[in-house]
Amino acid sequence: MTVKQALRAHTVAQDADTKVRAVRARTRGARVNGTSVRGDARTGDVGTEPEGEGVRTASAAPAVTVAAGRAAQELGIRRAEFELAVHLGQIAVVGVPGGGRPRVHEEEIARLREQPGFPDGLAERVRTVGTAEGAALLDIAPARFTRLARAGCVSPVTFYLNRYRAVVWLYLADELAAFAAREPDLLAGRTPPGMRSTLESGADWRPRNWRSQRIDRLLNRTRDPWVRAAVQASALDPVQLAEVVDDPYERAYLVRVRPEPVFGRPGSLAAREAMGQLMLADDPDEILWRRVNLTLELDGARADRPAPRPGEDGATRAATAVRSGADTRGGTGLVPFAAEPAPPPADAGLSTSAAKAAPTGKGLLARLGRRGRGTG
């Protein structure tokens, strides 16, 4: 560099330093006078705006959100993996005012990208396997894997329909690895007698375990008492629901606020029909368990607010939005919901005479009715 070039560079640096000092001085003066400073990065001009109501400052600016497809691309996962991660509560989403598909905050994407092992870590946490791949992961025969799944040792997280419209269950690879570490004795040797008798009776716990986990995760994403009641009601068919909830307005409201899959129902008609069938409890003790839970949640919902009547929909919908506005966001921001314990036997704590008696009081058992599918 020549002497002239050095002097020219020094002069430019001094000019820039003078401008920076001037900007800082104006900023301090603006803060004293109750104004905010707005700089134009492209031109170097600085302007001022009065602070107060109706003016957005940098701290009050709304967070930027992106669509699910773009979020999946930025996280390096497939769309199906993204939707499963949302269902599992690993990715937080926010609802869109007036309806529409949920969106993702850019801060949430940045948080996930900063996690150790990104992007492979997130993809691995939502990796699912079928029977053959799951058996290979556990180093057992596929037939033994199927027996373990039917006996309820491992629970499916999702499913799809094959070309024959048969349900194909999928399992989280992480959960299978945890099961192998927790129960190594079940992977080799003879099947325990209790499990063998369960399998010989034709039991298959896969649909029931899928329902239980699905309900638990939906409950974990909402605090609204009516939505929680609707989640429990989703496992009962219309006849069972009418026996527990005799008010038609309450039944209609439960259907209206029932949470749907975050990104819509399965695409094909066959998949929707399969989803509808799998969501319904089909065992007497499971039905009783869901009726008990629905009754308890319904008591809390009625105490919180009544179900809307004709002409009250607008006000009630607004109240619901205020109460559960943050509940559309999955993940760690919500109060955790304890995992559901194993449902009690059908006759536990309930005598045969009480089970068959017509409801004559206002107690829990009377309101349950104990009529319906599989209960005699």
Side-chain angles (χ1 to χ4, degrees):
M1 178 184 293
T2 65
V3 176
K4 291 184 178 180
Q5 290 175 334
L7 291 174
R8 187 180 301 113
H10 180 68
T11 303
V12 171
Q14 285 184 332
D15 293 342
D17 184 66
T18 301
K19 290 182 178 180
V20 170
R21 291 180 180 178
V23 171
R24 289 176 178 172
R26 295 178 63 182
T27 302
R28 287 193 295 268
R31 288 174 180 170
V32 172
N33 294 330
T35 57
S36 62
V37 176
R38 173 175 49 85
D40 192 328
R42 292 174 297 179
T43 62
D45 293 335
V46 178
T48 60
E49 291 179 352
E51 289 183 350
E53 295 184 0
V55 178
R56 290 183 177 180
T57 61
S59 59
V64 179
T65 61
V66 299
R70 179 181 167 187
Q73 291 179 353
E74 294 189 12
L75 294 173
I77 56 178
R78 298 192 300 270
R79 182 62 178 268
E81 294 174 330
F82 174 85
E83 295 181 4
L84 181 58
V86 171
H87 174 64
L88 297 176
Q90 298 187 17
I91 299 178
V93 297
V94 293
V96 178
R101 291 177 178 268
R103 297 173 67 84
V104 184
H105 280 301
E106 287 192 344
E107 290 88 346
E108 176 70 1
I109 297 175
R111 180 187 70 84
L112 294 167
R113 292 175 66 91
E114 292 173 358
Q115 291 182 345
F118 177 84
D120 296 335
L122 177 60
E124 185 62 25
R125 290 197 298 274
V126 296
R127 183 168 73 94
T128 57
V129 295
T131 298
E133 194 175 354
L137 183 64
L138 300 182
D139 197 20
I140 59 177
R144 190 180 189 95
F145 181 91
T146 300
R147 289 197 299 271
L148 291 173
R150 286 180 53 204
C153 297
V154 293
S155 302
V157 68
T158 186
F159 70 92
Y160 70 91
L161 299 184
N162 62 13
R163 71 172 97 180
Y164 306 108
R165 295 189 177 183
V167 174
V168 179
W169 295 107
L170 298 176
Y171 308 81
L172 282 176
D174 274 358
E175 290 187 356
L176 296 183
F179 166 74
R182 186 175 63 251
E183 302 287 351
D185 295 341
L186 293 178
L187 303 181
R190 296 178 59 84
T191 303
M195 185 185 300
R196 189 183 310 118
S197 62
T198 298
L199 294 173
E200 289 174 353
S201 68
D204 187 352
W205 281 74
R206 290 174 293 183
R208 182 170 179 169
N209 284 345
W210 173 79
R211 281 191 294 270
S212 179
Q213 288 192 358
R214 176 181 179 274
I215 288 174
D216 285 346
R217 288 175 177 129
L218 289 174
L219 289 174
N220 194 42
R221 287 187 2 219
T222 183
R223 298 186 185 93
D224 186 273
W226 280 101
V227 177
R228 294 178 65 87
V231 170
Q232 297 287 358
S234 66
L236 297 175
D237 63 29
V239 175
Q240 297 283 344
L241 181 60
E243 290 179 354
V244 179
V245 188
D246 54 2
D247 188 331
Y249 295 110
E250 290 183 340
R251 291 200 303 271
Y253 191 48
L254 290 174
V255 172
R256 188 186 313 165
V257 301
R258 179 183 302 170
E260 298 290 345
V262 176
F263 291 93
R265 293 179 176 273
S268 67
L269 176 61
R272 291 196 297 270
E273 292 176 349
M275 182 81 166
Q277 289 297 321
L278 289 173
M279 285 175 59
L280 298 179
D282 57 3
D283 190 77
D285 63 328
E286 183 189 5
I287 293 173
L288 175 60
W289 181 251
R290 293 303 167 197
R291 289 172 69 124
V292 169
N293 278 278
L294 172 58
T295 302
L296 296 176
E297 294 285 0
L298 200 59
D299 287 344
R302 288 165 174 165
D304 181 76
R305 67 183 187 274
R309 279 356 190 213
E312 301 176 355
D313 292 2
T316 305
R317 192 176 299 116
T320 304
V322 170
R323 294 173 185 271
S324 60
D327 297 340
T328 56
R329 182 170 182 167
T332 58
L334 301 182
V335 177
F337 184 84
E340 179 185 79
D347 56 351
L350 185 66
S351 65
T352 304
S353 59
K356 294 181 179 180
T360 57
K362 296 183 179 180
L364 174 62
L365 297 181
R367 284 182 287 146
L368 288 174
R370 288 291 293 152
R371 304 192 307 272
R373 184 172 54 193
T375 57

